[in-house]
Amino acid sequence: KPLVGSRRRQSGLCEGAGQSHTPRAGAAMEQTMAMLKVPGKMREELIEPCSDPSKYGLMITTVDDQGWELPEKETIKNLRIFVAGFFPGAPSRSWRTGNGQRFGWNQEGVFLHENHLKRYFGIFRESASVALKMAVPEALPEFIGPGGNIDGAGAPTERMLKSLISHLPDVSKDLRQQVLKATFQRADINGNGVLSRVELGTMYRKLVNTMSAADVDSLMQEADIDNSNSINYHEFVDWLHDSASEHVRGHLENAIRTEADIVKASFRVWDKNGDGLIPVRHLQKMLGRTVEHLSPQQVKSLCELVDADHDGNIDYDEFVDFLFQTYKRDH
């Protein structure tokens, strides 16, 4: 069985999906075929797969980013419109289809952004064009030990991922709790220290955007220890620390692992419709208030630089990545 669970950013190729039958849309698939994530600059390569999804193995990454699943029919229809450039505002890098849903592309790939999460499209590697295969290199080979099990000492893909993760500047558990508290306080409009399960669940999913709505709802039911349909901050943090499953804690740690993750999470909290965009004018106001060493003209120039489409909106994930990459380069 191929190695699964690789994070999607390291190569553009993930171990993908395929079964002898066609499952329903939205169903996660058994990891048996290599999937190729289509780079944004080669988005036209998705036009034919949209016309015949089963032939090309058109898939979208799952909410937890651990695999692939079939897109909904409406998603495929809108994806074709987007990659073919037949949408209002073309050739913009993104297209809002309504209800907090947005199609876009970046260096990593072509994505659907909704519910504060980017999910990328891919196809079976074996069905890709020669040009696309050349543009997206193979992942590191895996060594399958005796009996078909992955040998931990001989799985270079897994070793590489562990090495990369171990060298990332992780944030502390205390800092994660500060982020949770600040998010809770922002949602606590009347300042009584209590939120309804629905309110807290909504805020928590913005922080931990790789958890499904159903998972978060189940989590909130468990956290509401006294069944009062409301949760105070200390009750919630105590539950996370003492009783939450490793699965729940793992999602939180992965969602808020680095300083860049914290900034992205903060943007998601402000993002009311979940489409991943922030108006340039709002970003200028925020930077003007929080970054004192930048002049108004410098703030304006920075925002114009990041607003590649000049449509008055900025993808805040890309904005944060740009800032942290620039910082690393200069230091």
Side-chain angles (χ1 to χ4, degrees), residues 79 140 330:
L79 174 63
L140 290 174
D330 294 341

Side-chain angles (χ1 to χ4, degrees), residues 171-186 207 233 237 240 252 256 262 266:
V171 300
S172 67
K173 194 172 292 185
D174 287 342
L175 186 53
R176 280 195 199 95
Q177 289 198 0
Q178 290 178 36
V179 173
L180 278 172
K181 184 175 182 180
T183 305
F184 189 101
Q185 290 174 335
R186 176 176 173 80
L207 281 180
Y233 171 73
V237 170
L240 274 178
L252 176 60
I256 310 177
I262 292 176
S266 300

